[in-house]
Amino acid sequence: MNTALMSTVRQSDPVLLESYFGLLWCPVQLLYPFLLSLKVSRKYENKLPKNAFDIGWFSIKRDATDMEWTSFRGMLCNQLFIMFTYSVVGAILSNKFPKYKKFYYSIAGAFLVIIFISFEGFVFVFTLVTSFYFLLQLRNQTLMWMFILTFLVCFHTDTYRHYLFSLFGIKVLHTINTYVSVLMTVLRLISYGTETINSSTSSFFEYMCYLFYYPLFFQGPVLTFDLFIIDFNKPKVRFNTEFIFKFLWCCIIGLAIDVYFHFSFVNALSANINLLQTLNEIEAISVGWTLMVLFILKYKVFYGLANIFSKLNGIEAPAPPKIVCTWYTLVDMWRYFDQGFYRLLQRSIYFQMGGSHQSILRTSIASLLCFAFVSLWHGNDQQHWYWGLLNWLGICFEHCIKKIVRSKSGEKLHSIIGCKMHRRIVGVNGSLTYLFLVYSNLVFVTSIESANLIYLQALSKWYFPTIIVTVYLAIHLTHDFNEIKNKTKYINKQV
């Protein structure tokens, strides 16, 4: 909703008084929950189950309930060395011996996948990708989607997945890595199939290079095939010092996250319903806010490292999530959090199913299909379907508001009330929209029950108007920062 409203505000808008208050108030209000979550962790530490912890640095207890971060941390050193070697050798071959480029990326990538998910896991993935490749020769998009959807339903059914893993002899030790690798491979299959059926042609080697490109294979982000093949076929790769600075920045963020997990146990706390029920209002706010920020920072590291190593090969992977930029609407959250996934949904589902900003009905149907797929891909369970439904309803509402704002009545109202009052209305509505966005993401990060408990506590009594005011000020501050950023970009382009 607010993107549409903000877009109607001229870039020459004066800075509102609310932005100055936000500059002073919001940093304190947004950082304080982190300090409070440390106190909450110490308060409930002895009541958390022992299996929620492992031993970290200097024999300090560490929260181990975030499986994504725990898995990433455990294999980090090996993966950094492997990805650096893989990318540097690939860059040298691309510049010096380009005729061996496709052979190297396909074979070396497949070999590293074997090491990562085991030979049995690789056979499973390879069987999936070759079956899909032969199916695509029929050039039938309906058959392609029937194959993908049937596979996902079976794969997310415990009985069928266990049968498939046992059929290929995949050991328990490798099931998590194989599970995530298969899901990421499915997204790349969809992108390749969409581009192949609609327009492009490619060789089997290019197909293998795309699917087994190692820096993006496990954690992502998703890079659509059309963008991958353009960068992949560039004649030479050029190095720059940007690699070093971005790598150091990812290391700093990653170190901060891991240090925080040594002293704050909010992730373990969020999974314990009985303890969540005992939190007071301000403790619930601190837990919810900390979970959201840690989730964003975590993917900033995941996607940031993948983006860095891909650039060594001249491949521009999607950028990591933006922390301070238009994060108060559902549309912008999807657009800027996982840009690769967003583009995949647009090209493979949204536009294919007639998504159009000119028709609310067609847009709503296309969006519904996108979120139905997102829910199915993430897990095909109640939590993810509920989360997908929340996102779809929010985005439909934002599209309706966009139509109203762009109508003649909306433009007339804007001219009557003026820019300042218009922006204040945007801020009030944006506060409510942002709270809805945070709730939907809490459902995803924790569970439906945990999100409900946190929200019932956080939005009760006098804390609710305090939260509304804080978000209201933050929205105006974010708008002014984005406006300055856009003006700077425009000036740089002119120069």
Side-chain angles (χ1 to χ4, degrees):
M1 173 177 64
N2 308 291
T3 300
L5 293 173
M6 284 295 187
S7 65
T8 65
V9 180
R10 299 181 183 87
Q11 290 197 356
S12 58
D13 285 348
V15 178
L16 298 182
L17 185 62
E18 286 91 331
S19 296
Y20 295 112
F21 281 119
L23 191 61
L24 297 174
W25 171 249
C26 289
V28 176
Q29 188 75 359
L30 299 181
L31 293 176
Y32 177 68
F34 282 92
L35 298 176
L36 187 58
S37 69
L38 294 175
K39 295 181 179 180
V40 174
S41 296
R42 295 305 172 189
K43 180 179 177 181
Y44 294 100
E45 178 181 354
N46 295 328
K47 296 182 180 180
L48 292 169
K50 293 183 178 180
N51 60 5
F53 305 100
D54 63 6
I55 302 301
W57 303 338
F58 310 110
S59 300
I60 300 174
K61 187 186 295 185
R62 176 173 56 190
D63 191 336
T65 54
D66 189 324
M67 297 306 297
E68 281 186 320
W69 184 257
T70 302
S71 175
F72 171 79
R73 183 181 58 223
M75 62 185 182
L76 179 60
C77 293
N78 290 336
Q79 288 299 308
L80 287 178
F81 175 76
I82 290 172
M83 286 194 291
F84 180 76
T85 305
Y86 171 86
S87 299
V88 169
V89 173
I92 293 172
L93 281 175
S94 299
N95 290 334
K96 303 297 183 181
F97 309 100
K99 64 179 180 179
Y100 298 112
K101 180 178 179 179
K102 293 179 182 179
F103 178 81
Y104 168 77
Y105 279 111
S106 57
I107 301 303
F111 176 73
L112 292 176
V113 170
I114 291 174
I115 296 175
F116 182 64
I117 64 174
S118 77
F119 178 76
E120 294 81 4
F122 173 78
V123 171
F124 179 39
V125 174
F126 189 75
T127 301
L128 173 64
V129 300
T130 50
S131 300
F132 186 80
Y133 183 81
F134 288 118
L135 178 69
L136 280 182
Q137 306 312 307
L138 299 175
R139 293 291 192 275
N140 189 309
Q141 198 162 23
T142 302
L143 285 177
M144 181 194 86
W145 276 107
M146 288 177 61
F147 178 89
I148 292 294
L149 296 177
T150 302
F151 175 80
L152 283 176
V153 170
C154 294
F155 191 69
H156 282 308
T157 303
D158 292 342
T159 303
Y160 291 122
R161 184 174 65 256
H162 293 159
Y163 173 77
L164 287 172
F165 280 6
S166 62
L167 179 66
F168 283 88
I170 300 171
K171 299 177 181 178
V172 176
L173 181 65
H174 301 109
T175 53
I176 294 178
N177 289 346
T178 304
Y179 177 82
V180 177
S181 300
V182 168
L183 289 179
M184 294 303 300
T185 299
V186 166
L187 296 182
R188 290 186 282 269
L189 291 177
I190 292 171
S191 178
Y192 179 83
T194 301
E195 303 301 331
T196 301
I197 291 174
N198 292 331
S199 56
S200 66
T201 57
S202 59
S203 66
F204 186 74
F205 266 126
E206 289 176 330
Y207 177 62
M208 295 296 290
C209 290
Y210 173 60
L211 291 179
F212 294 117
Y213 181 67
Y214 197 72
L216 306 179
F217 179 77
F218 181 65
Q219 292 285 4
V222 182
L223 178 62
T224 54
F225 178 73
D226 59 313
L227 296 181
F228 173 85
I229 207 64
I230 290 173
D231 290 340
F232 185 79
N233 288 328
K234 288 178 181 177
K236 287 189 177 182
V237 176
R238 296 184 179 182
F239 299 93
N240 57 61
T241 55
E242 184 183 13
F243 169 86
I244 299 174
F245 294 110
K246 287 189 174 183
F247 180 77
L248 291 175
W249 182 235
C250 285
C251 290
I252 292 171
I253 296 175
L255 181 64
I257 294 173
D258 208 52
V259 168
Y260 194 76
F261 276 128
H262 281 72
F263 301 99
S264 176
F265 313 128
V266 291
N267 202 75
L269 182 61
S270 68
N272 194 309
I273 301 299
N274 293 329
L275 292 181
L276 280 180
Q277 291 174 334
T278 65
L279 298 182
N280 60 39
E281 294 87 350
I282 194 67
E283 289 173 344
I285 294 171
S286 69
V287 169
W289 177 254
T290 303
L291 286 172
M292 292 303 305
V293 175
L294 286 175
F295 182 73
I296 297 169
L297 291 175
K298 182 175 66 175
Y299 274 86
K300 197 166 185 67
V301 176
F302 294 164
Y303 289 178
L305 289 175
N307 181 272
I308 289 166
F309 288 111
S310 297
K311 281 187 176 180
L312 283 175
N313 303 136
I315 295 173
E316 190 68 36
K322 297 182 180 181
I323 298 177
V324 184
C325 180
T326 55
W327 272 88
Y328 48 87
T329 69
L330 287 158
V331 170
D332 287 331
M333 187 274 291
W334 278 95
R335 180 178 292 132
Y336 294 116
F337 180 80
D338 193 336
Q339 298 177 47
F341 202 2
Y342 176 78
R343 191 172 192 275
L344 173 70
L345 292 174
Q346 276 193 318
R347 292 182 67 83
S348 299
I349 302 177
Y350 186 75
F351 293 135
Q352 298 289 331
M353 300 307 298
S356 170
H357 291 292
Q358 304 303 317
S359 169
I360 293 179
L361 178 62
R362 292 178 62 187
T363 297
S364 299
I365 293 174
S367 297
L368 177 63
L369 293 174
C370 286
F371 285 109
F373 172 76
V374 168
S375 302
L376 173 62
W377 182 84
H378 274 95
N380 193 28
D381 52 35
Q382 183 182 13
Q383 175 187 356
H384 291 106
W385 281 104
Y386 180 62
W387 167 70
L389 178 63
L390 289 174
N391 279 271
W392 176 67
L393 290 174
I395 284 179
C396 286
F397 180 70
E398 291 177 2
H399 279 308
C400 290
I401 295 299
K402 178 184 283 189
K403 292 286 289 185
I404 295 172
V405 169
R406 290 181 174 178
S407 66
K408 292 183 179 180
S409 300
E411 293 177 357
K412 184 178 180 180
L413 177 63
H414 179 269
S415 63
I416 293 173
I417 63 177
C419 291
K420 287 186 177 182
M421 185 55 65
H422 183 260
R423 280 190 55 186
R424 290 189 172 105
I425 294 173
V426 168
V428 173
N429 288 309
S431 301
L432 300 175
T433 304
Y434 182 80
L435 292 178
F436 183 82
L437 183 153
V438 171
Y439 172 70
S440 70
N441 285 331
L442 274 177
V443 169
F444 179 81
V445 174
T446 57
S447 65
I448 299 174
E449 191 173 3
S450 294
N452 288 341
L453 284 173
I454 291 172
Y455 249 60
L456 286 175
Q457 288 288 76
L459 301 184
S460 63
K461 300 182 180 178
W462 63 271
Y463 290 98
F464 179 72
T466 304
I467 293 172
I468 291 291
V469 170
T470 300
V471 176
Y472 171 79
L473 296 176
I475 285 175
H476 286 292
L477 188 62
T478 301
H479 170 71
D480 289 324
F481 274 132
N482 289 335
E483 200 170 66
I484 293 171
K485 185 177 179 181
N486 291 333
K487 287 180 180 179
T488 303
K489 284 184 178 180
Y490 178 78
I491 292 171
N492 292 336
K493 286 181 179 180
Q494 296 301 313
V495 173

